[in-house]
């Protein structure tokens, strides 16, 4: 079954902060999910306009499920840092920033993501799967920063600091993938 959840996120703003490269070093293999460590949606959006900010994602997802574009989809956003594949038999990359689209939820990491935020993350992943003709059963293409970051345990996103009570579970996004589609 596909398309049980029809959802069209609203792109509310574009903040091309320039903290990305115009081209990729290798082909896309999937999507990497983060949280940005922000205290509020407003603070999150402001940070990407701040000249001190040195990072970027392709898209940032706010509490109400709307999204903000930081880097173009064709750009190598600065979101992953040093990474090594958690699943080298299937994910075979050298450069995490190129291999993965960077999707971040605006979150401090201390509160559960909202249902609309989760839906938007799943929908954005779905659109990338459709664009690349990736099989919807290849949900291993959706990863969290925590599983790929090197050294391991360097990052706790998107789950947050308590693995038994994640604020956002990559498995939940993987399960939503085939069910969500855009209107
Ligand atoms: Zn991250």
């Amino acid at each position: 079954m596909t398309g049980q959840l029809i959802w069209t996120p609203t792109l509310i703003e574009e903040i091309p902060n320039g903290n990305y490269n115009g081209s990729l070093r290798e082909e896309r293999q999937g999507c990497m999910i983060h949280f940005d460590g922000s205290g509020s949606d407003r603070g999150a959006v402001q940070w990407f306009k701040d000249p001190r900010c040195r990072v970027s994602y392709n898209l940032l997802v706010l509490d109400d499920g709307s999204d903000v574009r930081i880097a173009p989809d064709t750009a190598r956003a600065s979101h992953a840092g040093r990474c090594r594949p958690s699943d080298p038999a299937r994910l075979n990359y050298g450069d995490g920033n190129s291999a993965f689209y960077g999707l971040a939820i605006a979150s401090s990491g201390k509160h559960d993501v909202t249902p609309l935020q989760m839906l938007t993350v799943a929908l954005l992943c779905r659109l990338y799967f459709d664009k690349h003709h990736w099989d919807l059963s290849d949900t291993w293409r959706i990863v969290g920063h925590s599983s790929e970051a090197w050294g391991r345990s360097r990052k706790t996103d998107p789950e947050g600091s308590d693995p038994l009570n994640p604020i956002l579970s990559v498995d939940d996004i993987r399960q939503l993938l085939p069910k969500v589609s855009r209107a």
Side-chain angles (χ1 to χ4, degrees):
M1 284 274 284
T2 57
Q4 298 137 299
L5 293 164
I6 311 287
W7 172 240
T8 304
T10 305
L11 181 71
I12 58 162
E13 196 167 354
E14 300 194 36
I15 309 173
N17 70 359
N19 294 318
Y20 44 81
N21 304 115
S23 55
L24 303 179
R25 295 178 184 168
E26 56 187 80
E27 275 186 31
R28 296 290 195 199
Q29 296 190 29
C31 308
M32 181 180 285
I33 302 170
H34 303 260
F35 61 68
D36 65 349
S38 60
S40 67
D41 281 359
R42 177 191 283 242
V45 171
Q46 274 310 117
W47 175 240
F48 289 100
K49 297 175 178 173
D50 191 313
R52 291 170 297 172
C53 177
R54 290 284 175 269
V55 301
S56 62
Y57 302 100
N58 295 98
L59 290 160
L60 173 71
V61 180
L62 306 182
D63 288 349
D64 65 359
S66 61
D67 57 346
V68 175
R69 176 165 299 282
I70 312 292
D73 277 346
T74 50
R76 176 181 176 271
S78 295
H79 64 96
R82 225 155 84 83
C83 284
R84 288 192 191 173
S86 60
D87 184 357
R90 293 188 287 193
L91 288 169
N92 180 22
Y93 64 83
D95 178 45
N97 287 332
S98 296
F100 298 101
Y101 293 99
L103 298 176
I105 52 166
S107 171
S108 65
K110 296 190 177 72
H111 307 285
D112 284 354
V113 300
T114 69
L116 288 177
Q117 226 169 3
M118 192 184 296
L119 201 53
T120 295
V121 171
L123 191 272
L124 293 173
C125 290
R126 175 63 190 260
L127 295 178
Y128 290 130
F129 269 66
D130 290 348
K131 174 177 172 173
H132 289 274
H133 306 290
W134 292 331
D135 196 297
L136 289 182
S137 62
D138 291 347
T139 56
W140 47 265
R141 294 185 184 278
I142 303 174
V143 299
H145 197 186
S146 58
S147 69
E148 308 306 305
W150 191 261
R152 296 291 187 239
S153 80
R154 181 169 66 84
K155 292 290 178 180
T156 60
D157 58 322
E159 295 86 359
S161 55
D162 182 359
L164 296 178
N165 188 21
I167 68 151
L168 176 63
S169 140
V170 170
D171 272 343
D172 286 347
I173 299 298
R174 289 172 171 175
Q175 285 175 29
L176 276 172
L177 182 79
K179 300 176 186 163
V180 63
S181 60
R182 187 161 56 181

